[in-house]
Each structure stands twice: as C-alpha cells, then as structure tokens.
Amino acid sequence: MPRLAAAFDLQFPLEQIEHWASRYAYRDDAEAMQAGQSIAGGEHTRAHLLTIHRWKTKGRGKSRIARNSDAEIADALALAIVARTDRAAAAVLCGLVGVQLPVASAVLATIDPERYTIIDFRALEALGASKSYVDMQLFLEYLNHCRTLAADRGLSLRTLDRALWQWSAENGTPEPPEDASATMQL
C-alpha cells in the first residue's frame, strides 16, 4: 500500500517567518556555509564534508565518516553537485557511511542554498510533522513544500530554515544532549 503524502502545517502565522528567522540563535553557520561553497567550487574534500557534518550533528557519528575513503567522498560530493534530480543528489550522499538524509540535506543546502534546505526534527516540528525517521519520499515532499512556501513569501530557503529551526528551539522539543546516541536519525 503506497504511503500517503506528508501533511505540513506551519505552526505559526506565515507573517512571522521573518520574525523567527531574525531570532535564529544556533551556533555560527558561516564555516559550514563556506565549506559548502568550497565544495561547489570543486574542492570535494573530507575536511569540507566533516565541517558540515560537525555543524549539523554537533559531532555525533563523525567516526562513521572516517570509514569512507577520500575518493568515495570526492565522488559523492562531485556527483551530488551535477545530479539532475533532488533524489539523485541526496541518494548519492546517503551512499556514504555516516550520512543520512538530515546530513545529506545540510550538505546540499550549504552547496546550493537557493535550491536546497535542511530537514531535521526541528523543521518538521515547526511544520507540524514530527517524525522519528526521514525517508526519501518525506524529504522530497518536505523540500517541495519549503520551496513553495519560501517562493510564495518571497523569502530564501535559508530564511525559512532559520525560522523553522528557531520556532522549534523556543517552542518545541528540547535539543538532544551532547552525548546522545550517534544512531539518532534526526
């Protein structure tokens, strides 16, 4: 039986997106965004992947990334950039050990913030869709929903992402502890 499409319901008024984005208080993302731009510029390195991974996961699961060769990392990053579909771009990154869709989405969002946004428990919670596991179908539905929402409001995907994250941080589920299991899906 096919899975029903995800239902997203923004948990705050549309008019407050910029308000919540302006309150964004996550640790500095400049280093991760620079790593993504370096990847987009052809530097398909482990160091750049690790920078983004550390930013997204607070370092959880970094030992798994070590199980990928430099060539595998370089290939996955290069292929994600030239992928013609969102599914292919995310799937090639998820082929790396230690990369699941939330991390893959962070890599893609730092490489091409005009096209991609980050999926995680905070963003899903702010859209009324708390999930413990993100599969490819949910990611693609989420991505399309966010693109539509941002375009309808004349906002960047990064602004929307910051608003979703901040609303959840202030109104939703507490952040997992620093020593949380590396097997967390989100």
Side-chain angles (χ1 to χ4, degrees), residues 2 5 8 15 28 41 43 50 55 68 79 95 97 117 120 152 177:
F8 299 111
E15 297 76 27
D28 185 34
E43 296 177 26
L50 285 171
W55 170 66
N68 299 291
L79 290 169
V97 176
T117 191
D120 59 22
D152 287 351

Short mmCIF file of all heavy atoms in Angstrom, two decimals, residues 2 5 8 15 28 41 43 50 55 68 79 95 97 117 120 152 177:
data_model
loop_
_atom_site.label_atom_id
_atom_site.label_comp_id
_atom_site.label_asym_id
_atom_site.label_seq_id
_atom_site.Cartn_x
_atom_site.Cartn_y
_atom_site.Cartn_z
N PRO A 2 0.68 2.17 -0.95
CA PRO A 2 1.52 3.37 -1.01
C PRO A 2 1.32 4.26 0.22
O PRO A 2 0.25 4.35 0.78
CB PRO A 2 1.05 4.10 -2.27
CG PRO A 2 -0.04 3.30 -2.86
CD PRO A 2 -0.31 2.12 -2.00
N ALA A 5 0.93 11.06 1.25
CA ALA A 5 1.80 12.23 1.26
C ALA A 5 1.80 12.87 2.65
O ALA A 5 0.80 12.82 3.36
CB ALA A 5 1.34 13.25 0.22
N PHE A 8 1.86 18.98 5.94
CA PHE A 8 2.63 20.00 6.63
C PHE A 8 1.70 21.15 7.01
O PHE A 8 0.89 21.59 6.19
CB PHE A 8 3.78 20.52 5.76
CG PHE A 8 4.76 19.45 5.37
CD1 PHE A 8 4.86 19.03 4.06
CD2 PHE A 8 5.58 18.87 6.31
CE1 PHE A 8 5.76 18.04 3.70
CE2 PHE A 8 6.49 17.89 5.97
CZ PHE A 8 6.58 17.47 4.65
N GLU A 15 3.15 35.30 8.49
CA GLU A 15 3.70 36.64 8.64
C GLU A 15 4.85 36.69 9.65
O GLU A 15 5.58 37.67 9.72
CB GLU A 15 2.61 37.62 9.07
CG GLU A 15 1.49 37.79 8.07
CD GLU A 15 0.50 36.61 8.05
OE1 GLU A 15 0.34 35.92 9.09
OE2 GLU A 15 -0.07 36.36 6.98
N ASP A 28 27.17 29.61 15.09
CA ASP A 28 27.56 30.19 13.81
C ASP A 28 27.61 29.13 12.71
O ASP A 28 28.22 28.08 12.86
CB ASP A 28 28.93 30.86 13.97
CG ASP A 28 29.34 31.58 12.72
OD1 ASP A 28 28.46 32.12 12.01
OD2 ASP A 28 30.55 31.62 12.44
N GLY A 41 32.66 24.88 -5.50
CA GLY A 41 33.75 25.38 -6.34
C GLY A 41 34.74 24.33 -6.78
O GLY A 41 35.74 24.64 -7.43
N GLU A 43 36.23 21.83 -4.61
CA GLU A 43 37.06 21.26 -3.55
C GLU A 43 36.26 20.17 -2.82
O GLU A 43 35.64 20.41 -1.80
CB GLU A 43 37.49 22.34 -2.55
CG GLU A 43 38.38 23.39 -3.15
CD GLU A 43 38.72 24.49 -2.15
OE1 GLU A 43 38.70 24.24 -0.93
OE2 GLU A 43 38.99 25.61 -2.61
N LEU A 50 33.43 17.06 6.66
CA LEU A 50 33.47 16.99 8.12
C LEU A 50 33.02 18.30 8.77
O LEU A 50 32.36 18.28 9.82
CB LEU A 50 34.86 16.60 8.61
CG LEU A 50 35.22 15.13 8.43
CD1 LEU A 50 36.69 14.90 8.74
CD2 LEU A 50 34.34 14.24 9.28
N TRP A 55 28.80 20.62 12.04
CA TRP A 55 27.83 21.69 12.25
C TRP A 55 26.42 21.10 12.39
O TRP A 55 25.67 21.49 13.28
CB TRP A 55 27.90 22.65 11.07
CG TRP A 55 26.82 23.67 10.99
CD1 TRP A 55 26.57 24.69 11.85
CD2 TRP A 55 25.84 23.78 9.96
NE1 TRP A 55 25.50 25.44 11.42
CE2 TRP A 55 25.03 24.90 10.26
CE3 TRP A 55 25.56 23.05 8.80
CZ2 TRP A 55 23.97 25.29 9.45
CZ3 TRP A 55 24.52 23.44 8.00
CH2 TRP A 55 23.72 24.56 8.33
N ASN A 68 34.76 6.11 5.15
CA ASN A 68 34.73 6.40 3.71
C ASN A 68 36.13 6.80 3.26
O ASN A 68 36.83 7.52 3.96
CB ASN A 68 33.78 7.57 3.42
CG ASN A 68 32.36 7.27 3.82
OD1 ASN A 68 31.70 6.44 3.23
ND2 ASN A 68 31.89 7.95 4.87
N LEU A 79 29.31 14.09 -7.61
CA LEU A 79 28.09 13.59 -8.23
C LEU A 79 26.85 14.32 -7.71
O LEU A 79 25.92 14.59 -8.47
CB LEU A 79 27.95 12.09 -8.01
CG LEU A 79 28.95 11.23 -8.78
CD1 LEU A 79 28.91 9.79 -8.29
CD2 LEU A 79 28.67 11.31 -10.28
N GLY A 95 24.82 7.44 0.22
CA GLY A 95 25.64 6.26 -0.05
C GLY A 95 26.92 6.25 0.77
O GLY A 95 27.58 5.21 0.89
N VAL A 97 29.00 6.21 4.20
CA VAL A 97 28.81 5.74 5.57
C VAL A 97 28.71 6.96 6.48
O VAL A 97 29.53 7.88 6.38
CB VAL A 97 29.97 4.83 6.01
CG1 VAL A 97 29.81 4.41 7.47
CG2 VAL A 97 30.09 3.61 5.11
N THR A 117 17.20 23.00 1.24
CA THR A 117 17.09 23.39 2.63
C THR A 117 17.28 22.15 3.49
O THR A 117 17.28 21.03 2.98
CB THR A 117 15.76 24.10 2.92
OG1 THR A 117 15.82 24.67 4.23
CG2 THR A 117 14.57 23.17 2.80
N ASP A 120 15.24 18.33 9.39
CA ASP A 120 15.59 17.76 10.68
C ASP A 120 14.37 17.81 11.58
O ASP A 120 13.31 18.28 11.17
CB ASP A 120 16.80 18.47 11.32
CG ASP A 120 16.60 19.95 11.56
OD1 ASP A 120 15.44 20.42 11.63
OD2 ASP A 120 17.61 20.66 11.69
N ASP A 152 6.35 31.63 -2.26
CA ASP A 152 5.09 32.37 -2.05
C ASP A 152 5.29 33.60 -1.17
O ASP A 152 4.59 34.59 -1.32
CB ASP A 152 4.03 31.47 -1.43
CG ASP A 152 3.47 30.44 -2.39
OD1 ASP A 152 3.77 30.52 -3.61
OD2 ASP A 152 2.72 29.54 -1.93
N PRO A 177 20.82 15.74 24.21
CA PRO A 177 22.08 16.02 24.93
C PRO A 177 23.28 15.77 24.03
O PRO A 177 23.22 15.01 23.08
CB PRO A 177 22.04 15.04 26.10
CG PRO A 177 21.04 14.01 25.74
CD PRO A 177 20.08 14.63 24.77
#
